[in-house]
Structure formats: C-alpha cells, structure tokens
Amino acid sequence: MINLSSRGKVENLEGQLVGKLRPSKGIKYGFELVNSLYDPTNEDRVVALVSQERLNSQLPNIFNLSNYKILAEGDVVYINDQGVLDILYRRQSKHNTLFITDQCNSYCLMCSQPPKNKDDFDFHYFRNKCLIPLMDEETEVIGITGGEPFLLGDRMIEILEDLKSQLPQTTIHLLTNGKVFAWNDWAEKMEQFKENLILAVPLYSDNFVDHDYIVQSNGAFRQTMLGLHNLAKYQIHIELRVVLQRPTIKRIEELSLFITKNLPFVESVAFMGLEFTGLAIANKDKLWIEPSEYASALKKSVFLLDRFGIRVNIFNMPLCVLEPELRDFATKSISDWKRSYLDKCEHCSAKSDCGGVFGTSRQLTNEISPL
Amino acid sequence: MEVVKRQKFKPKEHYNSPGYKLLPFKYLHIDSTNELIVGASGDYVIAPIGSVEAIVKRRPISNEKLMRDLHAKHIIIDEYESGGLDVIANRIRTKKDHLLQLSSLHIFVLTLRCNHTCHYCQVSRVTQDKQSFDLKKTDLDHAIELMLKSPSKFITMEFQGGEPLLAFDLLKYAVETTLSLNTDKRINFVICTNGTIYNEEIIKFCLKYDILISTSLDGPEFLHDSNRKLRKGSSYHDVIAGIQYFRNALGKDRISALMTASSLSLKYPQEIINAYLENGFHNIFLRPISPYGFALKSPKKNYYETQQFLEFYEKAFEYILQINLKGTFFREDFASVILKKILTPFQSNYVDLQSPAGAINSVLVYNYDGYVYASDESRMLAEQNDYSFRLGHVSDGYKKLLTSDEALSVFKNSLNEALNGCSDCAVSDFCGADPVFHHAIQGDAYGHRPTSGFCEKNMSIIKYLIRKLEESTSVRNIFYEWISAK
C-alpha cells in the first residue's frame, strides 16, 4: 500500500498549488514544483519546493511528509497551506485516475468509497483542470472515478474534451453507474470520445429488485439498462462490472445469460471481488461470502460469456482462490498503490502473476494459500 | 439527477413492487408437468403448469426465483416502470435486423444438365442439349445486373444446377462479369456441385476467386449410391475422391457437404453420421427430402413421413450428442440454426426458417429458363408446370419483379407473426414461415398449421431442443460451442 495523501509542514504558502515535480540542482533531498495553477503561461516558473526537511527559502516549501520517499520526477502533486500533499499523478504508475467527486446518486451497500453530501465539484474540477496538461503524453490509461462523475454535468464533458485534445493517445477508463445515459443526449455526447473511451458500468443483477436493492435506489436498474442501450447506439465501448457478493450471487449465471441476450454489444464483463471497506463494513452480514461458495457458479458464468464471445476478466481475486481453469481470466486489477500481499504469499510460486489483495480491505478471505 | 443523502439502508422488500403488468407472451405445454412461456424478446421461462393462469390473474408470485425469471425474460414488468419497453423494442429490432439486408443469397441455376440421376431430384436432365437447358448469356447478364441492385452489401452468389460445373465456361463468365461490374459489395461465391467433376482448371479458378465448394454426401457407400446414381460407376467413390481433391487444393474448410434423407436413409442414422466423421467432416445438416411432386400426390403419406423423419432425426441427434460428449466436436446444422435463435438475440441467416420467409426476402433464384423465382423450391415447382412463384423474366427489372403478383403472394403469407396457428404459437420466434412449401403441399400459400408437415417437423424439433437445453449443463455447453463455432 502506498499513501497518496499526506500531511507535513508548510511555509510561505497561501492557498493551494498544483504542479509537476522536477529534481533540483541546488537541493539534495527535494524537488522543485513547476507549472502553477496560478501561472499557466510561465511553464518553467518554480512555484514551490517539496523537500524531506525544511529548506531556508523565500519560496513556498512543504516538508516533513510521510510519503516523501515515493515522490519521483514527473509526478504531479497538489499542496495547500494546511500542509497537505496529495499525489494526483505518478508517472511510473499504470493506475492514475482523475477523481471527480465524492457525491453519488446511488448508495451501494458495498461502496468502498462512501458518498458524501459536501459540494466538492469545484475543488476537484480545478485540480483536474490543472493536472491534465501536466500528465505525460505517453500515459497509456487514465481512470476517471467518483462518486458518480457525471454529476459534474457539462464540466465532465469539458474534462473529456481536455483529455482528448491534450492526451490523444491515452485510453480513458471511466467508472459510472450509467444512469445519466437514460437521457439519450448524454449518450450522444459520448460519441465524440468513443475512440479512446471505455465506460465501466456496474450491473449487479438481471432484475430490478436485486439491482435496485444493492444500489439502494429505486428505478436504477431500468435507468442503467436504458443507458446501456442508448450507449450502444453510438458504439461506445462498455465494460460491465459485476461484484461477487452474497445478495446477488444466486443469480450470477442468470445474469450472464441476461447479458448475452440483452447486452451482447458490451466489450467485456468483469467479475469483481469485494473491496471490503467503506459501506461494505457496515453491511458485512449481508454481503460477505467466501470464494469457495460461488466457485462453481462463477466458473459457469465465465465460460458462458466466453463461449458467447464476450471478453471476461476477473478482478480483485488472488489466483489461489480461483479454480485453475479460471486463472487465465484473472487480471492484476488492484491499483498498485492499494495492492498488497500476505506474509504467506512470500512462499507462493504464482506471486509474480497474482494481483494480490486490497490493502484497503478490512477483512480478507480465509481461503488464501500459497500455490 | 439527484445526489443521494446519507441514509439508512433499506431492505430488499423496499425495492420490490408486488404488483406487475403483463408483457406480450405465448406459452405451450413443453412436457406433462411444465409450461414453456416465451416473451416478445424470445426469452423463455419453464414453469409448472398453472403458472400462466396465475400470472394472467395477477396473483402474487410467491416463488422468488420464478418472479425474478419472469422479469428478467421480459414476460412481466413492474407496475411503475416503462423503461423496460425500450429494451424489448431493441430486442425485436435486433431479431429483424437482417431485413435491412434484403436478398443477400442469389442462386444462379446455370444448367439443368447433370451426370447424375438421383431419384429424389426434381429438376436435372441427362442430356447434351445445351440449347434448352443452359442459362443464356444475355439472361445471365440481366441476372447479374439484378443481383447487384440488391440493397444488401454482403452477397452470396451461389451456382446450382443440374451440375453447374458442366457449364464451367458460363460459370467463369458469371464470376468475372460480376466482379468487373461490382462497385460496393462484398461477394462470396459458392459452387453447389455433386463433387464428381473437377480438374486443374476448376481448382485454379476456385483458388483465384476464393470460391467455396458445397457438395452432396448422403452417407455410407451403399446408401449414397442407392440415392445418387451415376450412369456408370459409384458416385460415392467419385465424390469422396473429389472431396479429397478439393480439400488438398483449396483447404479443408473450403468444402462442405449436404445430405438428403431418402426413405432408405431413415433406417441408417448412425451409419450416415459415421460416414461424415470418417470422411473428416465436423458437421452435418439432417435434411428431409424436399416433398415436391411425389409427395404432393399423397399428403397422408407425407404426414407419416414427417413422423418418420422426426424419429430418424432424434436417433441421429442423440448419437451426435454422444459423440460430442466423448469430446469430438460434431455439429448438427439444423439444430444450430434453431439454437442460435433460442440462445442469442440474433437471427440465423438460414433462409428456410425465417419470418418474413426467406423466399425473396433473403434469396432470389435466376433459373436456366431466364426467369426469376422466389426460392429454390419455387423453381422446382416450375418443373412440374406450376409457375406460382415465378416473379418474371430477368429482363423485367428489379421493381417489376419485386412487386409482381407472385411476389406479393409470397410477402402476404410470409410473416408467421400474422399467420393462423403461428401467431399464437409459443415457439414461432424460433421457427419461420414457408408459403412455397404450403402452396406445394396444401395448395394454399397461407397454409393450414394443424396438418402442416413444416409445422409438425419444426415444432417437434424446437421443443425437443429446448428440453435438451434444460436437461444438462454439458449438453447446453455443446450447444453453445456449436453456435459460437464458425
């Protein structure tokens, strides 16, 4: 696990800054922060110094940071006058994301990132607006996540436009509950981005009762289904996400069949192990299920979709809890900064191929054992 | 869209709607204890007899699984939400999507001349008389022009006979003229040959234009030779040698075989399949004899024959399943057509099981006599002086042909959604309409379903396949492999 957010001490700073880290010739254990939010025209202006220890400088200086050691050239960070340093982008990572909002129009029982009511749109919007031009053009994939990103409204389209013009080679992987696309004009707006855009949309069940219960929102199933069909009209790439949890596991095969019949246009289906944090903790009794309990149903579902020609991925499941035939479908999906392994994994022959477990999960399956 | 406020979690019941509305569905008894309920989407539920009555009377559905199944298969819908109708509309649109590709199969009957005298054949002539039994070049030119006017972007140009390779010069001319005139279509070429005529020139030509070979194999030697007669020697020997020759030269997947089941064939289901396996085929189309002419004279006998064919079909099918269960891929193609309709949201492009019927909508036939026919069977009827489905002469022009009285009589009777006995049939989605068959057998293109061999055969096989699908996961998996294989 890597902590992307930390709090140190700060001097000479009022307000907030976003900038890219550059090694400094003068300072041994520190970086210059260049490209300020407040001065986008002067690209090379050094606006702050980020260092291990306090520097004697006229410039804003942030130091005594717990995550200083993971900072590297080319990374983009946010700092403010409270001493906060958030790493917004790590050049060496394949798991960079734009965070849009903590707000959501669903309230999923197992949400790992519980939605908040606070209006945080402006805060994140400006961080993202500053961040996009600072990212490397070679960045392969950028995730976009929330909350529900499309609650940002038209400014979400603006962010996609920025990405398209400034990072034309980058694939955008956007997590959304898809409800907004029940309004066709929103689906149509996606068409201009379709070449580099994948929308990852969760679908928890083949019927409205179970899906609406999971997302705690009446009408959610119909809205998402209609949204998916609207997106299909514009040939938008869609990844469906199915979380493996107790309330919906009974109909997981029916759901797979439902997908082949009603959503044959999706590009891939991801079956996802639970990240056991956030709201999931409060709902443990309802949600928790051991992988062995659904092994057979998962296998049938994966093979059904695979035979039908839909690409299948299994996310967030260590290889050892999967049946051998399913291991080829497993993906190292847990973001590098959240990924961890248990002590006993040190002896596992498959560790280098394995995506590990969520370092964020408060509870892990007992079924992990080295291969 | 509204942002959700922090809230207490609500129980599942909160999201259920106890009442429900009915969506269009049809049903039948699939066995002695169960009903097959099929929704407008083509998805089905199998439930105990009495379930339909219960939902029609809007009784609460206490069985949670059944309730969810009925929703997921679009048979009922919750009281307050109508968004689900858009999804069903898209399902129906997807099923009929092939109609935008009007007439994609174009059959050219280059000649009736043949070196075989098969007893079930209605058309061929053993003759040297090219004048009266070959398609005239001027007529061929018109036919190609018509084909290229089809709105379809993907076209199959299929050469039939007689034996089209007896008119190889004409065939060459047809392919090359087509390619020189084509501007915007992707065209596949298929030669339907009895497989006994081949030489280096033919092979070179097939290679050059990537032509597929479709031949006939009725089973083991004794059976094949009894059905398919050469003037001298064994057709089986020649066709097996031909298959090998074509395979070596063109590649294994460039040649396929079709079987026709004569009365004699019905006694040898396993032997026929073994003959296909031994000769390196991985699929078979279990196809009854076309009941034209001979069968017309005795409908009772034909009715009996449908039963006999079904017994043969099931025996053969069980044997095929055993082969697959033992690990060898071997597909039955007629079942695959139906299974594709059942298991996927798409249509099959097989022309004899569509609604609207494949005749004209999917296929046009340009006969050696210079006339355009609605289907392959339509031109067979013409050999018995029945010109009911002769749309007109190739020189008549596209519009005139497709709006002729003959064409309209096909269209009028080609939607099983609107035919008595089909419109309320639970499995009509997996079936089709065949006005040409009903005209030939019952003297009425509209047809009478209770006495129709078409209906009897298809309903029986569809119900059988659904029972098989439900019977075991391993059989279900085999079916998925069949429909996903090329």
Side-chain angles (χ1 to χ4, degrees), chain B residues 357-411:
Chain B
I360 306 178
N361 292 304
S362 296
V363 61
L364 281 174
V365 179
Y366 311 98
N367 206 9
Y368 73 100
D369 57 8
Y371 286 89
V372 183
Y373 291 83
S375 67
D376 204 23
E377 290 73 19
S378 304
R379 61 113 176 182
M380 291 178 188
L381 286 176
E383 294 307 311
Q384 297 152 29
N385 305 316
D386 179 347
Y387 301 104
S388 304
F389 302 106
R390 189 163 91 176
L391 310 181
H393 194 260
V394 286
S395 61
D396 282 348
Y398 198 71
K399 210 173 199 172
K400 193 174 167 196
L401 290 165
L402 289 204
T403 53
S404 62
D405 288 346
E406 289 79 2
L408 295 181
S409 98
V410 171
F411 295 142

Side-chain angles (χ1 to χ4, degrees), chain A residues 123-361:
Chain A
F123 174 72
H124 290 293
Y125 174 74
F126 283 112
R127 294 201 333 175
N128 290 324
K129 282 291 275 189
C130 299
L131 166 59
I132 292 168
L134 299 178
M135 292 191 287
D136 272 19
E137 257 193 85
E138 289 82 49
T139 305
E140 275 179 50
V141 184
I142 282 287
I144 296 182
T145 184
E148 168 51 46
F150 283 95
L151 289 176
L152 184 58
D154 287 335
R155 284 190 292 177
M156 189 58 229
I157 303 296
E158 207 182 297
I159 284 178
L160 290 171
E161 281 166 353
D162 285 2
L163 286 166
K164 190 183 173 184
S165 63
Q166 305 201 35
L167 299 168
Q169 309 300 323
T170 305
T171 299
I172 313 300
H173 190 257
L174 196 164
L175 307 186
T176 169
N177 58 37
K179 288 180 187 175
V180 68
F181 305 111
W183 287 270
N184 188 63
D185 53 331
W186 276 91
E188 194 178 355
K189 283 176 192 173
M190 292 300 106
E191 194 178 15
Q192 57 182 310
F193 308 115
K194 72 177 175 194
E195 272 164 40
N196 292 331
L197 180 68
I198 301 167
L199 295 182
V201 180
L203 189 72
Y204 298 122
S205 176
D206 67 341
N207 66 88
F208 76 102
V209 184
D210 295 334
H211 181 90
D212 290 1
Y213 165 65
I214 294 289
V215 306
Q216 294 279 301
S217 163
N218 273 313
F221 179 75
R222 295 266 184 248
Q223 274 186 36
T224 295
M225 280 300 294
L226 187 53
L228 291 167
H229 274 240
N230 283 338
L231 290 167
K233 274 192 266 183
Y234 304 102
Q235 288 119 40
I236 310 298
H237 302 293
I238 297 166
E239 169 191 292
L240 280 186
R241 306 193 133 200
V242 179
V243 174
L244 301 164
Q245 51 191 338
R246 184 169 295 283
T248 49
I249 207 76
K250 233 200 280 183
R251 292 186 69 83
I252 198 95
E253 286 178 70
E254 282 89 344
L255 173 58
S256 303
L257 199 61
F258 181 84
I259 292 168
T260 66
K261 287 293 190 78
N262 296 285
L263 302 161
F265 45 79
V266 301
E267 195 155 280
S268 65
V269 173
F271 290 102
M272 318 210 340
L274 205 56
E275 181 178 3
F276 210 75
T277 183
L279 299 184
I281 297 165
N283 292 308
K284 185 188 161 187
D285 293 345
K286 297 180 194 119
L287 302 177
W288 186 263
I289 186 165
E290 288 289 339
S292 59
E293 289 182 67
Y294 57 73
S296 143
L298 177 62
K299 189 159 78 178
K300 286 182 195 158
S301 303
V302 168
F303 286 155
L304 172 70
L305 290 164
D306 186 53
R307 269 196 205 96
F308 191 80
I310 293 176
R311 192 151 50 85
V312 187
N313 293 305
I314 299 174
F315 287 177
N316 314 342
M317 303 271 283
L319 295 177
C320 57
V321 303
L322 290 173
E323 302 235 340
E325 305 99 297
L326 290 188
R327 288 178 192 154
D328 282 346
F329 295 94
T331 309
K332 284 189 178 183
S333 53
I334 299 174
S335 303
D336 51 4
W337 60 274
K338 277 189 189 177
R339 184 189 306 155
S340 68
Y341 297 90
L342 307 186
D343 289 344
K344 55 185 165 187
C345 299
E346 294 311 312
H347 311 291
C348 176
S349 60
K351 189 185 168 197
S352 61
D353 296 325
C354 180
V357 294
F358 279 110
T360 44
S361 274

Side-chain angles (χ1 to χ4, degrees), chain A residues 104-105 107 109 117 206 208 210 213 216-218 222 226 229 251 257-258 260-262 283 304 307, chain B residues 1-2 4-6 9-10 15 43 68-69 72 74 77-78 84 90-91 342-343 345 477 480 484:
Chain A
C104 196
N105 52 355
Y107 200 69
L109 293 180
N117 288 333
D206 67 341
F208 76 102
D210 295 334
Y213 165 65
Q216 294 279 301
S217 163
N218 273 313
R222 295 266 184 248
L226 187 53
H229 274 240
R251 292 186 69 83
L257 199 61
F258 181 84
T260 66
K261 287 293 190 78
N262 296 285
N283 292 308
L304 172 70
R307 269 196 205 96
Chain B
M1 290 194 299
E2 269 184 43
V4 175
K5 303 240 158 62
R6 185 174 284 270
F9 296 107
K10 298 195 178 84
Y15 298 97
D43 298 343
R68 282 167 172 74
D69 283 344
H74 312 295
I77 192 164
D78 55 309
N90 282 343
R91 292 288 305 275
I342 297 175
L343 293 173
N477 285 343
Y480 269 102
S484 49

Side-chain angles (χ1 to χ4, degrees), chain B residues 251-264:
Chain B
K252 194 163 190 282
D253 60 329
R254 305 304 291 168
I255 175 153
S256 62
L258 268 179
M259 66 83 71
T260 305
S262 65
S263 309
L264 182 64

